[in-house]
Amino acid sequence: MNSLNPKSAIDRAKSFFDTPSSEPLVDDMLWVRLRELCLGLDLLRHPDLPDDAYHPEAYSDVLTALQCGHLIAVVHGQNSTIPRPTWQRLPAQTAFESMWWNGSLFDFGEYGAFEGKLPVVARGEAQSWLSVEASRKVGRPAKVPHALEVYDQIRPMGKQPEESWKELARDIRQAGGPTISHETLSRAVREQEKRGG
């Protein structure tokens, strides 16, 4: 039986990493570094995993959540939100290899004003997201984030009043997105709009 919950998984992940001297200290009761969030998700899904092992899916899933607005990262010490397009420049398929999760954003030349800044997620938000995400079947692509990504590509200005949600769900599928019900799509788009996505 898995004795880990989102809070204890984050705590265990925080104890695994040494903070480099060049990285600012973070209030661990309020904030979660991205590397801690990735490892926390991995630990929840694979509780017997040694802390120094990893499954790339956890890193891809955290990056996808940032890209879709399901997780919001802010600049540590400034609390300015790092917008979704910043994350969308990185391919989720190589999320582990690109090292965006390991401290400050650097060496990519694509982060603009966020270059050299430390992204963090509010601990409460991280724990809530982990509780949902950890129960998702591993290995199955997340339909909603993928559908929202395709939706944003084919409808950059949003849904038109004359369009039905059924038509949009069909258009997403025809554009290479997942099969998703029109009810789920409608809820996901409204939630994304509420979050400012």
Side-chain angles (χ1 to χ4, degrees), residues 93-107:
Q93 307 89 292
T94 57
F96 181 78
E97 293 83 4
S98 57
M99 300 292 283
W100 55 271
W101 50 270
N102 195 27
S104 299
L105 301 174
F106 65 95
D107 289 345

Side-chain angles (χ1 to χ4, degrees), residues 1-191:
M1 182 175 160
N2 184 358
S3 62
L4 285 178
N5 58 42
K7 180 186 180 309
S8 60
I10 289 172
D11 288 340
R12 184 170 155 190
K14 284 180 172 292
S15 69
F16 175 74
F17 293 105
D18 292 325
T19 303
S21 60
S22 61
E23 193 173 291
L25 294 177
V26 170
D27 184 339
D28 288 331
M29 299 305 291
L30 298 177
W31 302 105
V32 178
R33 294 172 187 88
L34 298 181
R35 62 179 174 255
E36 297 159 349
L37 186 56
C38 294
L39 180 57
L41 177 58
D42 216 3
L43 291 169
L44 283 169
R45 288 182 177 165
H46 309 280
D48 299 326
L49 180 78
D51 290 354
D52 61 349
Y54 71 94
H55 292 88
E57 297 87 12
Y59 297 80
S60 297
D61 290 346
V62 171
L63 180 57
T64 299
L66 290 164
Q67 291 171 335
C68 295
H70 295 213
L71 277 173
I72 306 296
V74 299
V75 174
H76 176 261
Q78 298 175 5
N79 296 342
S80 55
T81 300
I82 301 174
R84 288 176 43 207
T86 303
W87 304 112
Q88 290 170 340
R89 296 179 180 128
L90 297 169
Q93 307 89 292
T94 57
F96 181 78
E97 293 83 4
S98 57
M99 300 292 283
W100 55 271
W101 50 270
N102 195 27
S104 299
L105 301 174
F106 65 95
D107 289 345
F108 296 104
E110 297 177 346
Y111 292 116
F114 303 104
E115 188 98 10
K117 306 295 185 191
L118 178 66
V120 292
V121 175
R123 184 154 183 157
E125 179 183 352
Q127 289 176 192
S128 295
W129 181 82
L130 280 176
S131 67
V132 172
E133 194 63 20
S135 64
R136 189 174 63 80
K137 184 177 175 187
V138 180
R140 176 176 166 245
K143 282 187 171 189
V144 171
H146 186 208
L148 287 173
E149 186 177 327
V150 174
Y151 170 80
D152 288 342
Q153 291 170 358
I154 65 173
R155 296 295 188 278
M157 302 305 289
K159 178 185 173 295
Q160 299 303 308
E162 66 275 5
E163 293 178 298
S164 74
W165 288 108
K166 282 184 180 181
E167 291 171 324
L168 276 177
R170 184 199 63 225
D171 291 349
I172 286 170
R173 188 177 63 253
Q174 289 175 347
T179 300
I180 188 169
S181 74
H182 64 278
E183 295 95 349
T184 301
L185 177 63
S186 170
R187 275 193 307 272
V189 168
R190 284 193 205 106
E191 182 181 319

